[in-house]
Amino acid sequence: MPTFDHRVANFCAGPASMPNAVIERAQAELSNWHGSGMSVMEMSHRSGAFIEIARHAEASLRQLMGIPENYRVLFLQGGGSMQFSAVPLNLLHGQADYLDTGIWSAKALKEAQRYAAAGLGNINIVASGKANGYTRVPDRTEWQLSDNASYFHYCPNETINGVALYGVPDVPSDVPLVADMSSCILSEPIEVSRFGVIYAGAQKNIGPSGLTLVIVREDLLGRAHAVCPSVVNYEQQAANNSMLNTPPTFAWYLAGLVFDWLLEQGGVEVIYQQNLQKARTLYDFIDSSDFYHNGVDKDNRSIMNIPFTLADSELDKAFLQAADAAGFLNLKGHRTVGGMRASIYNAIDLPTVQRLVEFMARFAQQHSK
Ligand SMILES: *Cc1c(COP(=O)(O)O)cnc(C)c1O
């Protein structure tokens, strides 16, 4: 068996680092899954073996998140971005409310507006953080909710801006909450029963790209517009156990391995405590330094994606080069916001964050005037 000493600390926002134990297990099972004589990659999605893999992954996810019986879990393709269209196509009737807290919620909004323009309904922007440079979630007192919204869409963790909305948004209880949890699913315990739809691309905090999870409350099935493509129609996918067409089988299997790994770690509450400690370690260091800066409101700081800038941006290039050389990869911030960003999803452990902080301290010392 190979060892994994050669693996770098990968702070990429997505596709992101996966647990070593999962990579090793996938490798061990790669050519002959459980004596089947074939790789999961080669299996029919209709075979007994794959159906077992698929069911097991769903059962593990249900256990991890405490998903109630009246919710369906869909394993789809198309990424988080496909859900920007799927949500209005399945649910937009009359008004829908959108909260704009960053680049991803703005993208979701833009797609929804396309369907509004085509006559499917109206989109109301509840509030936007754009004017403040997406450094905080607009205060609840600033929100302009519509009457009888068919749903309220928001993004609890803005991956690019590092802005998070904690707790469940305060909207009327009969308005289904639709949450893009692409970069925060499984990072902290949530009460699924408070949501109508939760969706997440897998490549941030779950597994490889190509898989998108949708957790949808059963009473929201069957509301799709006639023009909604079958593959993104929640009711049809639910009726076909996410196998209306060929699902992303290998990514589904790998997600199942990650779910099992999370259960072995003690579940979401245990990983959440580690995530808090990791985030605190990095933010405390950044806040204590004149060399590094994070401009997000303290109440809205993401525990998964931590953007930061150097006081002297002339040093950005040198910082990234030194980080690469030290085995800390993908710290460059998103092209739209610049600076740096450390994505510290579940697979990044506390010692790795501590080593990053030591590196950052060393770099600051060497480059302070
Ligand atoms: C990455 C991301 C997306 C887009 O995901 P794709 O799978 O690339 O479509 C959407 N929303 C959030 C919050 C993300 O982090």
Side-chain angles (χ1 to χ4, degrees):
M1 281 297 292
T3 63
F4 282 74
D5 308 348
H6 60 283
R7 288 180 40 93
V8 294
N10 178 9
F11 296 97
C12 191
S17 194
M18 284 176 58
N20 283 347
V22 169
I23 304 275
E24 284 182 29
R25 179 152 166 213
Q27 185 177 43
E29 298 179 342
L30 188 65
S31 65
N32 181 7
W33 183 83
H34 293 204
S36 64
M38 65 174 86
S39 172
V40 176
M41 280 183 254
E42 304 165 298
M43 283 177 189
S44 162
H45 55 297
R46 313 270 178 217
S47 66
F50 186 76
I51 296 212
E52 180 189 329
I53 289 167
R55 281 217 191 103
H56 179 77
E58 179 175 337
S60 300
L61 180 70
R62 283 184 173 275
Q63 191 184 340
L64 279 168
M65 293 183 70
I67 300 174
E69 293 263 323
N70 63 325
Y71 283 74
R72 297 297 304 264
V73 181
L74 309 179
F75 291 76
L76 306 180
Q77 304 196 42
S81 302
M82 182 64 98
Q83 293 307 310
F84 298 164
S85 292
V87 168
L89 284 166
N90 278 279
L91 299 175
L92 176 59
H93 294 283
Q95 293 278 127
D97 282 349
Y98 276 71
L99 180 65
D100 175 20
T101 58
I103 286 168
W104 287 115
S105 40
K107 285 194 187 206
L109 175 63
K110 200 171 159 213
E111 286 296 311
Q113 283 169 331
R114 180 196 308 282
Y115 298 102
L120 266 51
N122 300 305
I123 302 297
N124 169 48
I125 304 173
V126 169
S128 173
K130 195 170 182 182
N132 65 50
Y134 293 131
T135 53
R136 64 175 180 85
V137 173
D139 196 76
R140 176 66 182 81
T141 56
E142 301 165 31
W143 296 10
Q144 310 243 325
L145 297 172
S146 49
D147 297 330
N148 302 315
S150 45
Y151 61 90
F152 174 98
H153 181 279
Y154 79 114
C155 180
N157 188 72
E158 284 284 353
T159 321
I160 294 172
N161 306 90
V163 171
L165 191 167
Y166 294 107
V168 178
D170 172 22
V171 300
S173 58
D174 57 343
V175 176
L177 284 172
V178 177
D180 175 1
M181 296 201 184
S182 292
S183 53
C184 60
I185 192 165
L186 295 168
S187 66
E188 62 173 317
I190 58 155
E191 213 180 316
V192 174
S193 64
R194 303 290 299 274
F195 295 86
V197 176
I198 292 168
Y199 65 86
Q203 72 273 19
K204 314 288 168 67
N205 210 18
I206 296 174
S209 59
L211 170 70
T212 311
L213 287 182
V214 177
I215 302 167
V216 53
R217 211 174 61 210
E218 266 167 0
D219 63 284
L220 297 175
L221 302 175
R223 299 187 184 186
H225 287 273
V227 294
C228 179
S230 305
V231 288
V232 296
N233 182 309
Y234 297 154
E235 183 188 35
Q236 290 189 36
Q237 284 288 11
N240 287 278
N241 296 316
S242 310
M243 297 194 191
L244 189 86
N245 66 329
T246 315
T249 51
F250 197 66
W252 192 334
Y253 153 74
L254 286 170
L257 295 188
V258 172
F259 300 152
D260 288 348
W261 172 82
L262 270 173
L263 286 168
E264 282 161 24
Q265 305 308 298
V268 177
E269 179 60 37
V270 170
I271 213 87
Y272 173 53
Q273 292 305 325
Q274 291 173 18
N275 287 336
L276 285 178
Q277 231 186 326
K278 283 152 48 185
R280 212 177 291 129
T281 300
L282 191 45
Y283 282 120
D284 283 354
F285 169 72
I286 290 170
D287 289 343
S288 72
S289 148
D290 296 329
F291 194 88
Y292 301 103
H293 176 73
N294 170 284
V296 178
D297 235 53
K298 291 216 163 127
D299 290 341
N300 297 131
R301 282 176 162 184
S302 166
I303 60 168
M304 292 281 99
N305 309 95
I306 304 185
F308 59 92
T309 50
L310 275 54
D312 178 2
S313 61
E314 297 273 298
L315 288 172
D316 283 5
K317 232 175 146 181
F319 178 86
L320 289 168
Q321 274 171 2
D324 270 21
F328 301 109
L329 264 64
N330 292 315
L331 286 166
K332 192 173 167 47
H334 192 268
R335 60 196 145 75
T336 51
V337 296
M340 312 298 155
R341 171 177 49 169
S343 294
I344 50 173
Y345 300 119
N346 290 347
I348 301 276
D349 60 10
L350 179 62
T352 303
V353 174
Q354 289 166 332
R355 284 193 291 118
L356 173 65
V357 164
E358 284 160 22
F359 163 79
M360 288 168 66
R362 222 166 33 242
F363 185 87
Q365 206 178 20
Q366 285 160 358
H367 293 85
S368 291
K369 295 185 183 99

